[in-house]
């Protein structure tokens, strides 16, 4: 039994994989037979010519016998399933003959494949990021694990790094980096940049040589060494015009004159997404101080695994261990030190991919419906093919070939769309991340495994879309089918599964745009708000002061003076109308807090707290935004002392005070609903709502701005374009304080736009999906109606002949389709209502009207799909239709 | 007239012929002629699909060798499962033939 099975498998395998060898052997064996027979005949006295003739006749046709030989080896079914050129040519001819189906079906598959491939690519890049560096998988990072809190320590001490570097044997080229913000000043031009302060040893880790000049050297790290800077290729091109004499150029980082000593090649952004590299000099660092953002990394020594390195690291005691919380150092792959998502993130990514795969299958099911409806119209052809001897397997193969041709087109288009989709997804992620670049190992190109995945999806799509309709159309033996065919009338019916598909589809086309709309509505209170002042005229910039040198020795300059000077100097420029400062610009997401009102609760009762955005603002903030405050604004003196005054906005006054006059009342702030509240503050003013995003309606509370806070926003109203304002701002700022950095300089309307990038992206994706679903529904409805009309041509003819009116004919033909569309729309609308009331606690009359209107619109659009077949049905001439059969 | 071979018996004859010793395709044909005393006609080409089917089922094995006239030829021999199958089929054929022979020799008296 088993031996027999093994023999069959072996023979099958050989027949499939070494087809030409097997054929040659058969031929040779036949030849031998015939020759031997000829010899025998000659020996009996027959002439050679006659012997050859007789032997050939006795043997039979080589080709027929070869065919039989293949069949007896069980290869026939494979021969039938194998595609021939003819199959593919026929398939492409079908694509040309039915352009609507080709475009709609191909697009549906292409979008499905594209979405699934983007999801897959994102997943592979997150799950197994590959460092595009020589032996990138041997690069590791070292971290401290806080045993008691069971989390990674956010900061390391420089001395930890030093101990590891000096003692750890299993990791070589141990290096560290941190990112610091600096003002890069080239001549007159200043810009704020992120510099990687990195150990010279990082060269051994990255193994990338500079394009020009040199990499950092250990001597650069010595105390008193002249400051040096290495720049990236893009910076070299943009700032220095790609000139080779950039080496040796003197620039300033803040107020430190620095020499450019090297240019790195294009694409090099190690350690994460950096364009500037400066030495991580121990002399500039207090080695006992915790350094946030310090990352220690190196290369595993050849032949050492990550576990061995971990084991060795565990034996090295942390410096000063007795005074620190219990630490457990650990070795992890490098990329995980930069980005390590939580477990539910993985689950989300996995589920997302499953969802996308379902989307592909849904698209394929649709294409299957379209192919099925078309196949039914080709029933005569298929039945004839069966009658001429084509087996069912052969016919199914041809269907799959057609679906494969379609899927092949979808594969090509889908990869293009996926490439574009991946780029836009990455851009969106970068904007959401505060316009910073993603790590250098994140690529916006599709990896080969994603292309393979797309190929697999293409085959899956061809099978799903091709096999099901083929099996349904070729059901039963051909004699039955011929008799049904000749007796006229419908034979294959659009079955329950297809009906369900159409209903679901129509429901989806109603649901998805509504979901997009609802999503927008749900996200927008937090992300956009009508601003009462002309946001375009205002620019905001984040100010921060990064001082070179060991932070414990850093002078703490009088920030208040710097800001005052900045405002004074800017106002000297005729284009600047007003300047003010705040902790957050209007239109940005604000920090949230909970507020308790005085006298709002009885003793012993838990006081009510309301949630509101908070911001700290300068006294002239409201005046600069042309906002009139009821009561009074802050006084200059209130900035300096710990004054207990606040200004609330109208939304807060309405929500928390219920319309009573808040002036003179007291409120106190808490970080959460339950945490300990702070001291009481008196409400001294009521301001209009000025874009404090974070809560529906935008309730907010303003505190006086501490002028000495080292990070805050500058707001300036100006005439003229914002671009020139940015350079003016940088120039003035650098003149006052070279270390004062300006980041995110942009008009206020852009601040707001950036908030909603993510939700707009999601809305847009939903709209695209809806559009594809709508297109598919229309196509499906069209096909089904068209199918019905062509199946019932004779019936229509008879009815017309008997004097039926156009109306009654339409009623007969379209009743079912109308019911399907209606059911789909009602289900969709019910889902929309359920989802909206779940999210917003009910619908307003106008929203209900909107949904109803939309449903009617959808119904009308669906009806449009019936127009062409309807005209065809009404034009049926009784005599013609009967003749046609 | 030489009778045509009964359906299903060609396989049995091939197995028998091959069981008598390693042999090439043409040899199988000659050997069937000899053991049936040329009493059956086998269409020459029809032999091969049957041979391949038996080989595919693992009942016979093949290898390339050199024939008596010095040419390359494919030789067949019986496999262990082929031998088992031959024995089974021979037994059932004999029983079948005996029953049929018995039936055909029946006289009117027997059915009285």
């Amino acid at each position: 039994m088993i031996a027999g099975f093994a023999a069959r498998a072996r023979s099958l395998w050989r027949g499939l994989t070494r087809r030409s060898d097997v054929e040659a052997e058969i031929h040779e064996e036949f030849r031998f037979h015939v020759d031997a027979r000829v010899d025998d005949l000659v020996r009996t006295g027959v002439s050679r010519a006659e012997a050859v003739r007789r032997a050939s006749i006795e043997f039979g046709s080589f080709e027929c016998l070869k065919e039989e030989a293949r069949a007896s080896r069980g290869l026939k079914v494979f021969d039938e399933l194998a595609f021939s050129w003819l199959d593919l040519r026929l398939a492409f001819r079908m694509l040309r003959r039915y352009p609507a189906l080709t475009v709609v079906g191909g697009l549906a598959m292409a979008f499905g494949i594209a979405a699934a491939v983007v999801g897959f690519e994102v997943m592979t890049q997150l799950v197994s990021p590959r460092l595009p560096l020589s032996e990138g998988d041997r690069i590791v990072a070292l971290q401290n694990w806080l045993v008691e809190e069971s989390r990674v320590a956010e900061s390391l001490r420089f001395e930890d790094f030093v101990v590891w570097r000096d003692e750890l044997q299993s990791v070589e080229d141990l290096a560290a980096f941190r990112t610091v913000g600096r003002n890069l000043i080239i001549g007159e031009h200043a810009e704020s940049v992120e510099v990687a302060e990195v150990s010279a040893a990082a060269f051994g880790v990255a193994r990338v040589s500079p394009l020009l000049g040199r990499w950092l050297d250990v001597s650069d790290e010595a105390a008193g060494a002249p400051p040096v800077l290495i720049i990236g290729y893009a910076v070299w091109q943009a700032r220095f015009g790609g000139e080779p004499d950039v080496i040796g150029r003197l620039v300033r980082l803040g107020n430190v004159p620095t020499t450019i000593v090297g240019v790195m090649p294009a694409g090099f952004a190690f350690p994460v997404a950096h364009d500037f590299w400066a030495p991580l000099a121990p002399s500039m660092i207090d080695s006992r101080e915790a350094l946030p953002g310090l990352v220690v990394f190196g290369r595993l020594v050849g032949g050492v695994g990550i576990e061995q390195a971990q084991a060795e690291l565990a034996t090295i005691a942390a410096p000063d261990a007795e005074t620190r919380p219990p630490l457990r150092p650990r070795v992890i792959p490098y990329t995980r030190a930069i980005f390590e998502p939580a477990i539910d993130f993985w689950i989300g990514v996995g589920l997302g991919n499953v969802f996308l795969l379902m989307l592909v299958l849904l698209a394929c099911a649709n294409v299957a419906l379209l192919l099925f409806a078309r196949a039914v119209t080709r029933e005569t052809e298929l039945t004839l093919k069966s009658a001429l001897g084509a087996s069912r397997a052969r016919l199914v193969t041809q269907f799959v070939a057609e679906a494969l041709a379609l899927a092949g087109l979808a594969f090509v288009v889908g990869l293009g769309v996926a490439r574009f989709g991946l780029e836009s997804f990455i851009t969106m992620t970068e904007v959401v991340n505060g316009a910073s670049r993603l790590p250098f190992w994140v690529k916006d190109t599709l990896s080969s495994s994603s292309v393979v995945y797309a190929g697999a999806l293409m085959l899956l799509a061809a099978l799903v879309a091709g096999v099901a309709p083929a099996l349904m159309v070729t059901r039963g033996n051909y004699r039955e089918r011929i008799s049904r065919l000749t007796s006229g009338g419908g034979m294959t019916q659009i079955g329950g599964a297809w009906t369900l598909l159409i209903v679901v589809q129509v429901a989806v086309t109603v649901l998805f745009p509504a979901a997009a709309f609802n999503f927008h509505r749900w996200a927008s209170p937090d992300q956009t708000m009508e601003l009462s002042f002309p946001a375009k005229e205002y620019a905001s910039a984040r100010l921060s002061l990064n001082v070179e040198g060991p932070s414990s020795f850093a002078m703490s300059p009088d920030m208040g003076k710097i800001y005052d000077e900045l405002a004074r100097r800017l106002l000297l420029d005729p284009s600047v109308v007003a300047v003010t400062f705040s902790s957050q610009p209007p239109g940005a997401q604000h920090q949230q807090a909970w507020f308790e009102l005085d006298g709002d609760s009885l003793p012993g009762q838990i006081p009510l707290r309301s949630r509101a955005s908070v911001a700290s603002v300068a006294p002239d903030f409201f005046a600069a935004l042309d906002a009139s405050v009821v009561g009074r604004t802050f006084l200059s003196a209130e900035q300096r002392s710990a004054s207990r005054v606040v200004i609330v906005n109208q939304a807060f006054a309405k929500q928390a005070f219920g319309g009573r006059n808040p002036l003179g009342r007291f409120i106190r702030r808490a970080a959460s609903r339950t945490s300990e509240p702070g001291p009481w503050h008196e409400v001294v003013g009521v301001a209009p709502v000025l874009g404090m995003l974070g809560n529906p309606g935008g309730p907010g509370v303003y505190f006086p701005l501490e002028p000495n806070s080292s990070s805050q926003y500058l707001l300036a109203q100006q005439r003229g374009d914002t671009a020139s304002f940015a350079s003016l701002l940088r120039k003035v700022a650098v003149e006052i304080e070279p270390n004062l950095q300006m980041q995110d300089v942009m008009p206020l309307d852009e601040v707001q736009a950036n908030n909603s990038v993510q939700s707009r992206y999601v809305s847009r994706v939903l709209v695209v999906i809806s559009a594809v679903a709508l297109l598919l529904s229309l196509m499906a409805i069209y096909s089904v109606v068209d199918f019905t009309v062509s199946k019932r041509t004779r019936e229509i003819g008879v009815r017309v002949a008997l004097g039926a009116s156009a109306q009654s004919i339409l009623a007969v033909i379209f009743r079912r389709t109308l019911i399907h569309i209606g059911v789909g729309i009602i289900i969709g609308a019910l889902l929309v209502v359920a989802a909206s009331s779940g999210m917003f606690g009910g619908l307003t009359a106008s929203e209900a009207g909107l949904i109803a209107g939309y449903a009617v619109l959808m119904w009308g659009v669906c009806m449009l799909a019936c127009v062409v077949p309807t005209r065809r049905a009404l034009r049926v001439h009784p005599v013609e239709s009967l003749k046609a059969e | 007239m030489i009778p045509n071979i009964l359906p299903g018996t060609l396989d049995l004859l091939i197995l028998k012929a091959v069981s008598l010793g390693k042999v090439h395709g043409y040899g199988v044909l000659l050997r069937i002629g000899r053991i049936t005393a040329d009493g059956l006609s086998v269409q020459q080409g029809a032999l091969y699909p049957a041979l391949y089917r038996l080989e595919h089922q693992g009942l016979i094995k093949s290898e390339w060798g050199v024939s008596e006239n010095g040419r390359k030829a494919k030789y067949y021999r019986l496999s262990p499962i082929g031998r088992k199958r031959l024995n089974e089929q021979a037994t059932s054929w004999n029983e079948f033939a005996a029953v049929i022979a018995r039936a055909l020799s029946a006289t009117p008296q027997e059915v009285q």
Side-chain angles (χ1 to χ4, degrees):
Chain A
M1 178 74 186
I2 294 169
F5 180 75
R8 270 166 223 253
R10 247 197 323 271
S11 139
L12 209 56
W13 177 247
R14 194 155 179 269
L16 288 174
T17 55
R18 303 180 54 194
R19 184 175 175 145
S20 58
D21 286 5
V22 171
E23 296 220 325
E25 284 179 10
I26 292 177
H27 189 85
E28 173 142 16
E29 199 175 7
F30 287 3
R31 203 67 262 165
F32 173 80
H33 182 113
V34 174
D35 289 350
R37 179 69 185 153
V38 169
D39 290 348
D40 280 356
L41 287 171
V42 168
R43 242 170 280 159
T44 61
V46 181
S47 77
R48 179 154 285 274
E50 175 59 15
V52 168
R53 198 184 68 84
R54 275 184 28 201
S56 299
I57 292 170
E58 281 172 5
F59 192 82
S61 147
F62 269 33
E63 289 313 312
C64 290
L65 288 169
K66 274 186 197 166
E67 198 66 27
E68 275 186 59
R70 282 189 72 74
S72 56
R73 280 169 177 269
L75 293 169
K76 201 171 162 210
V77 65
F78 292 95
D79 289 347
E80 284 180 341
L81 286 178
F83 291 128
S84 62
W85 274 116
L86 188 65
D87 282 321
L88 282 180
R89 260 177 40 211
L90 277 176
F92 277 105
R93 189 183 301 164
M94 291 307 281
L95 293 189
R96 273 208 308 274
R97 245 182 84 187
Y98 295 89
L101 192 152
T102 305
V103 169
V104 175
L107 268 187
M109 279 185 177
F111 271 98
I113 289 178
V117 166
V118 170
F120 185 79
E121 179 68 37
V122 169
M123 184 172 73
T124 43
Q125 290 210 16
L126 289 174
V127 173
S128 51
R130 258 194 217 148
L131 287 179
L133 296 171
S134 131
E135 292 182 277
D137 56 334
R138 304 197 61 79
I139 302 177
V140 292
L142 275 61
Q143 289 180 328
N144 267 332
W145 182 258
L146 294 170
V147 178
E148 281 169 357
E149 297 173 55
S150 67
R151 65 178 179 86
V152 175
E154 282 122 10
S155 49
L156 282 170
R157 294 184 184 186
F158 195 75
E159 59 181 1
D160 290 333
F161 162 60
V162 172
V163 167
W164 289 337
R165 185 187 61 194
D166 296 346
E167 296 188 18
L168 196 59
Q169 300 295 313
S170 49
V171 180
E172 58 188 1
D173 291 322
L174 206 69
F177 84 88
R178 63 170 177 171
T179 304
V180 292
R182 290 277 180 265
N183 271 335
L184 174 69
I185 304 161
I186 307 167
E188 284 284 285
H189 180 85
E191 70 179 307
S192 113
V193 298
E194 302 218 306
V195 179
E197 286 191 351
V198 58
S199 319
F203 178 76
V205 181
R207 294 184 180 164
V208 174
S209 299
L211 187 67
L212 288 179
R214 63 172 178 91
W215 177 249
L216 299 169
D217 189 80
V218 184
S219 62
D220 296 325
E221 293 170 7
V228 294
L229 180 71
I230 290 164
I231 60 174
Y233 184 86
V235 174
W236 178 48
Q237 292 296 322
R239 298 278 169 273
F240 300 97
E243 284 175 23
D245 65 358
V246 68
I247 304 298
R249 276 280 291 272
L250 204 62
V251 295
R252 278 197 302 150
L253 276 185
N255 43 13
V256 180
T258 306
T259 312
I260 295 176
V261 294
V263 176
M264 295 309 285
F268 182 81
F270 192 81
V272 184
H274 294 91
D275 283 323
F276 299 92
W277 299 268
L280 181 67
S283 58
M284 302 298 282
I285 291 168
D286 177 355
S287 71
R288 314 259 336 236
E289 196 193 354
L291 296 176
L294 187 74
V295 177
V296 176
F297 58 96
R299 234 174 220 285
L300 289 173
V301 172
V304 170
I306 212 161
E307 299 78 17
Q308 278 166 278
Q310 174 68 62
E312 195 205 336
L313 185 64
T315 64
I316 299 171
D320 199 16
E322 54 286 352
T323 64
R324 297 165 75 178
L327 294 171
R328 195 189 308 135
R330 59 176 198 164
V331 185
I332 53 169
Y334 176 71
T335 53
R336 280 178 49 203
I338 310 300
F339 177 68
E340 188 175 19
I343 184 79
D344 39 350
F345 180 85
W346 295 128
I347 295 172
V349 168
L351 285 179
N353 268 286
V354 172
F355 170 77
L356 292 171
L357 194 62
M358 304 295 277
L359 204 69
V360 175
L361 289 178
L362 187 72
C364 293
N366 269 292
V367 176
L369 171 64
L370 300 183
L371 288 180
F372 174 66
R374 186 185 69 182
V376 169
T377 60
R378 285 165 58 196
E379 219 164 9
T380 319
E381 171 205 329
L382 293 171
T383 309
L384 278 177
K385 278 184 179 165
S386 310
L388 290 175
S391 67
R392 194 173 183 195
R394 196 75 204 79
L395 292 177
V396 171
T397 306
Q398 215 187 320
F399 268 89
V400 175
E402 282 171 27
L404 190 65
L406 195 60
L409 280 183
F411 171 78
V412 174
V413 176
L415 280 185
V417 175
R419 176 77 209 276
F420 171 78
L422 187 65
E423 264 173 44
S424 76
F425 182 79
I426 286 176
T427 312
M428 188 272 294
T429 315
E430 284 177 345
V431 174
V432 170
N433 273 355
S436 62
R437 278 191 297 159
L438 293 178
F440 68 93
W441 56 87
V442 177
K443 295 277 173 225
D444 63 357
T445 49
L446 296 173
S447 64
S448 51
S449 56
S450 290
V451 176
V452 170
Y453 182 66
L457 287 179
M458 171 185 79
L459 293 180
L460 178 75
L463 282 179
V464 172
V467 172
L471 289 181
M472 293 175 85
V473 176
T474 57
R475 221 167 6 196
N477 70 41
Y478 74 90
R479 281 190 196 85
E480 265 173 52
R481 287 195 272 139
I482 286 182
S483 64
R484 276 183 298 167
L485 198 65
T486 47
S487 67
M491 29 187 181
T492 311
Q493 289 301 329
I494 298 273
W498 301 123
T499 306
L500 185 69
L501 187 71
I502 291 182
V503 171
V504 169
Q505 194 108 298
V506 173
V508 165
T509 52
V510 174
L511 181 62
F512 263 64
F517 171 74
N518 262 341
F519 178 81
H520 192 73
R521 198 160 61 119
W522 167 73
S524 56
D526 293 353
Q527 286 166 348
T528 53
M529 192 180 277
E530 205 61 37
L531 296 178
S532 56
F533 53 91
K536 267 200 188 82
E537 289 177 17
Y538 289 81
S540 77
R542 186 158 57 85
L543 308 175
S544 59
L545 192 65
N546 281 307
V547 182
E548 186 87 13
S551 39
S552 53
F553 305 133
M555 44 178 183
S556 48
D558 189 342
M559 294 302 293
K561 264 198 195 131
I562 292 176
Y563 294 146
D564 286 349
E565 179 65 11
L566 188 60
R568 193 187 66 78
R569 292 275 296 274
L570 285 173
L571 285 168
L572 289 180
D573 192 283
S575 73
V576 180
V577 180
V579 176
T580 185
F581 297 92
S582 70
S583 62
Q584 282 291 312
Q589 291 287 338
H590 280 61
Q591 201 192 338
Q592 299 296 308
W594 293 84
F595 288 93
E596 217 170 89
L597 311 187
D598 61 326
D600 220 26
S601 55
L602 302 167
Q605 201 186 350
I606 300 164
L608 290 172
R609 287 180 178 179
S610 31
R611 203 169 109 110
S613 305
V614 292
S616 306
V617 298
D620 52 4
F621 175 80
F622 299 102
L625 294 178
D626 269 338
S628 54
V629 177
V630 179
R632 67 168 175 86
T633 181
F634 298 125
L635 309 172
S636 294
E638 283 166 344
Q639 281 188 286
R640 312 245 159 209
S641 61
S643 54
R644 301 279 154 78
V645 290
V646 292
I647 292 172
V648 301
N649 69 11
Q650 284 159 355
F652 185 83
K654 197 172 152 203
Q655 282 183 19
F657 291 96
R660 287 167 290 165
N661 182 10
L663 290 179
R665 299 282 300 272
F666 286 83
I667 63 176
R668 59 181 179 178
R669 169 184 177 171
S672 73
R673 199 190 283 273
T674 50
S675 59
E676 195 58 32
W680 290 105
H681 286 65
E682 187 188 354
V683 178
V684 297
V686 179
V689 177
L690 291 169
M692 297 178 92
L693 296 185
N695 281 306
V701 177
Y702 294 98
F703 291 84
L705 184 69
E706 282 286 330
N708 246 345
S709 64
S710 63
S711 175
Q712 52 180 267
Y713 280 82
L714 172 138
L715 301 174
Q717 187 184 11
Q718 27 90 49
R719 298 188 199 90
D721 65 320
T722 332
S724 67
F725 178 72
S727 56
L728 167 74
L729 187 56
R730 289 215 166 92
K731 188 165 155 277
V732 171
V734 168
E735 279 168 19
I736 298 168
E737 167 57 62
N739 288 314
L740 184 63
Q741 283 192 273
M742 299 278 146
Q743 273 145 346
D744 307 337
V745 183
M746 61 176 91
L748 275 185
D749 53 341
E750 242 174 73
V751 171
Q752 180 135 297
N754 280 354
N755 285 325
S756 49
V757 165
Q758 200 163 12
S759 65
R760 270 184 297 144
Y761 187 81
V762 174
S763 301
R764 229 174 283 160
V765 169
L766 284 176
V767 166
V768 169
I769 293 178
S770 316
V772 173
L774 177 64
L775 209 59
L776 273 173
S777 311
L778 295 183
M779 190 71 193
I781 292 165
Y782 172 85
S783 304
V784 170
V785 175
D786 192 43
F787 162 83
T788 316
V789 170
S790 56
K791 282 291 109 186
R792 298 172 75 171
T793 307
R794 178 190 278 193
E795 182 196 328
I796 296 170
V798 172
R799 283 174 191 270
V800 172
L802 294 176
S805 67
Q807 225 169 2
S808 66
I809 288 173
L810 289 185
V812 169
I813 303 285
F814 296 125
R815 200 171 46 219
R816 267 168 59 111
T817 312
L818 287 188
I819 292 173
H820 296 162
I821 297 174
V823 170
I825 285 177
I826 290 170
I827 292 177
L830 286 179
L831 286 175
V832 171
V833 172
S836 321
S837 49
M839 271 162 108
F840 303 107
L843 287 165
T844 63
S846 64
E847 282 161 354
L850 207 62
I851 291 173
Y854 179 67
V856 170
L857 177 76
M858 278 305 301
W859 198 71
V861 171
C862 289
M863 290 313 298
L864 275 182
C866 305
V867 166
V868 176
T870 308
R871 285 166 54 115
R872 214 148 63 80
L874 290 179
R875 263 198 247 125
V876 169
H877 193 278
V879 179
E880 291 298 315
S881 78
L882 293 174
K883 251 199 279 180
E885 290 293 335
Chain B
M1 193 195 120
I2 299 171
N4 271 324
I5 197 157
L6 276 175
T9 50
L10 181 60
D11 285 10
L12 185 56
L13 284 176
I14 293 174
L15 286 178
K16 181 63 194 173
V18 171
S19 76
L20 298 173
K22 208 171 85 168
V23 65
H24 51 64
Y26 184 61
V28 172
L29 193 76
L30 295 182
R31 200 174 275 177
I32 289 176
R34 200 159 306 147
I35 60 180
T36 59
D38 287 330
L40 289 172
S41 116
V42 178
Q43 205 250 316
Q44 301 202 7
L47 180 71
Y48 287 94
L51 271 173
Y52 297 146
R53 187 168 54 247
L54 294 174
E55 190 187 4
H56 178 67
Q57 291 168 357
L59 302 177
I60 55 176
K61 291 196 177 292
S62 70
E63 61 197 2
W64 286 89
V66 181
S67 75
E68 51 276 24
N69 59 10
R71 275 188 60 174
K72 208 175 132 201
K74 195 176 177 190
Y75 281 87
Y76 295 92
R77 60 186 167 78
L78 210 58
S79 73
I81 54 170
R83 187 164 301 284
K84 214 173 120 205
R85 173 70 63 86
L86 174 62
N87 290 337
E88 286 165 8
Q89 291 208 345
T91 311
S92 73
W93 175 263
N94 285 336
E95 283 168 4
F96 175 72
V99 170
I100 298 296
R102 167 93 188 68
L104 294 179
S105 64
T107 55
Q109 286 77 16
E110 284 177 61
V111 290
Q112 288 293 313

